[in-house]
Amino acid sequence: MIGSKVNDILVFLSVVETGSFVAGGKAFGLSRSTAGKAVARLEETYGMRLLNRTTRALDLTEEGRSLYEHGQTIRAAIEAADESVAGDPSTPRGTLRITAPDGLGRRLLLPTVYRYLDLWPETQIEMSFSDRVDNVVETGFDLAVRIAVTSPEQGFVVRTLLRSEALLCAAPSYFETRERPLNAEQLSTHNLLMFASGHERQGWVLQEEDGTAYRAQGHVRLRCDSGEALREAALAGRGIALLTRVMIGEDIAQGRLEHVLPRAAFGTVPIVALYPHKRLLDARVRRFIDMLSDDLRRQPAD
């Protein structure tokens, strides 16, 4: 009885992660119908709906999300048992699924990814480059790297990898027809490039040299949901952007961007790793986080 329920839970995890009964069942050599029956048995056993089914998508209910989180622990325990029999349980094996912001991911994570794959030949990595803060569980990722996320959803662990200084920046070409601002108030005459995602709208609060806090005002004609897109807009001379030093430090050093209001402070921004809470954290996840933390700390941060 327990064994059959565990099998059904593993099929349920696969259905959630692939987003369909067809793909979820195929991972276990099962038909769509058989995978659907496995989920139906779980719903009958627990007396509640686990998935809301539509013609286009499968959405977890609250009960389904809870079962998914516990199911991950079951799967991790099985994988740990397999590894302990097959070899060193501290050796990463299998597929690691990571999501990270586009700019940060491409320029700062990929070197770590390459080194990780070279070091651990029994691993594979699947990466998604997106600034959207998707539900890591429902999208099947083992790990999310995010900027400025400090309060993750319940059931997630957050580990700060690096704190990077936030800087105002603009291309020299932007100031060819404009005066450079000498204080925060003068930003009101400039084009500001700001981050926006869904209902979230970025605002800038800076501390001037005398300690006064000031909310920056200006003409916001372009908002993007990608930090890399904001960087490219700044490089193109479209306005002033607020980005982390870890993203634009090289641009400033090479003169492609310049530091605007260098005496004003915007504080530091955390770059964090988010992963589902597990009693047994997979070796492949733990090793990658440790390696990424070391690599990021070698970057010019503050």
Side-chain angles (χ1 to χ4, degrees):
M1 180 66 178
I2 292 179
S4 62
K5 184 186 292 186
V6 168
N7 289 336
D8 288 346
I9 289 174
L10 293 177
V11 173
F12 170 71
L13 298 184
S14 181
V15 168
V16 171
E17 291 169 356
T18 59
S20 76
F21 288 102
V22 174
K26 187 177 181 180
F28 287 85
L30 304 175
S31 67
R32 180 194 184 284
S33 174
T34 304
K37 289 177 181 178
V39 175
R41 279 194 299 270
L42 288 174
E43 292 181 326
E44 183 178 355
T45 297
Y46 294 118
M48 58 189 64
R49 183 175 292 277
L50 301 173
L51 292 170
N52 290 318
R53 302 155 176 82
T54 68
T55 56
R56 294 186 177 182
L58 298 174
D59 295 322
L60 282 170
T61 63
E62 288 300 317
E63 294 79 10
R65 185 174 292 105
S66 176
L67 179 61
Y68 185 91
E69 292 177 2
H70 288 295
Q72 285 187 307
T73 301
I74 294 172
R75 183 170 60 188
I78 293 172
E79 291 173 349
D82 288 343
E83 290 175 356
S84 68
V85 174
D88 184 355
S90 65
T91 300
R93 295 183 177 86
T95 301
L96 176 62
R97 298 174 179 86
I98 306 169
T99 173
D102 187 53
L104 182 74
R106 292 178 187 274
R107 283 186 282 115
L108 298 181
L109 264 71
L110 279 180
T112 301
V113 167
Y114 300 149
R115 193 160 68 88
Y116 181 91
L117 291 173
D118 289 340
L119 188 60
W120 309 111
E122 296 181 57
T123 61
Q124 304 85 42
I125 289 181
E126 295 179 3
M127 289 205 67
S128 171
F129 297 105
S130 171
D131 282 44
R132 292 181 57 192
V133 184
D134 289 320
N135 185 303
V136 179
V137 167
E138 292 186 11
T139 47
F141 292 107
D142 301 299
L143 172 66
V145 177
R146 290 289 180 256
I147 298 175
V149 174
T150 56
S151 300
E153 296 183 33
Q154 185 177 3
F156 285 80
V157 178
V158 57
R159 173 176 167 182
T160 299
L161 304 172
L162 176 73
R163 297 194 69 90
S164 185
E165 184 183 7
L167 307 176
L168 281 182
C169 63
S173 61
Y174 173 74
F175 294 114
E176 288 178 357
T177 58
R178 301 171 179 83
E179 294 291 331
R180 288 169 174 78
L182 302 178
N183 53 53
E185 187 175 356
Q186 290 182 7
L187 289 173
S188 62
T189 63
H190 286 273
N191 295 329
L192 309 184
L193 308 170
M194 288 194 173
F195 182 87
S197 179
H199 297 295
E200 178 186 353
R201 292 290 185 272
Q202 182 187 44
W204 297 351
V205 178
L206 63 116
Q207 185 173 344
E208 299 202 81
E209 195 174 11
D210 62 1
T212 303
Y214 185 86
R215 181 173 293 276
Q217 305 290 331
H219 306 294
V220 185
R221 300 187 61 202
L222 178 61
R223 292 184 186 269
C224 302
D225 65 354
S226 163
E228 182 64 11
L230 290 174
R231 171 181 169 270
E232 291 179 4
L235 287 168
R238 305 306 301 182
I240 299 174
L242 180 64
L243 296 167
T244 58
R245 185 183 292 274
V246 75
M247 285 190 67
I248 60 170
E250 184 176 346
D251 293 320
I252 290 177
Q254 297 297 322
R256 294 186 292 268
L257 292 173
E258 60 181 73
H259 190 176
V260 177
L261 296 182
R263 295 183 178 180
F266 285 85
T268 59
V269 177
I271 298 174
V272 303
L274 296 171
Y275 52 92
H277 176 74
K278 297 180 183 180
R279 187 174 61 85
L280 297 172
L281 183 61
D282 296 339
R284 59 181 176 269
V285 179
R286 184 178 65 253
R287 294 280 191 176
F288 185 86
I289 292 174
D290 290 343
M291 185 178 290
L292 178 61
S293 179
D294 289 342
D295 288 350
L296 284 180
R297 291 181 190 282
R298 295 191 185 100
Q299 297 291 328
D302 297 337

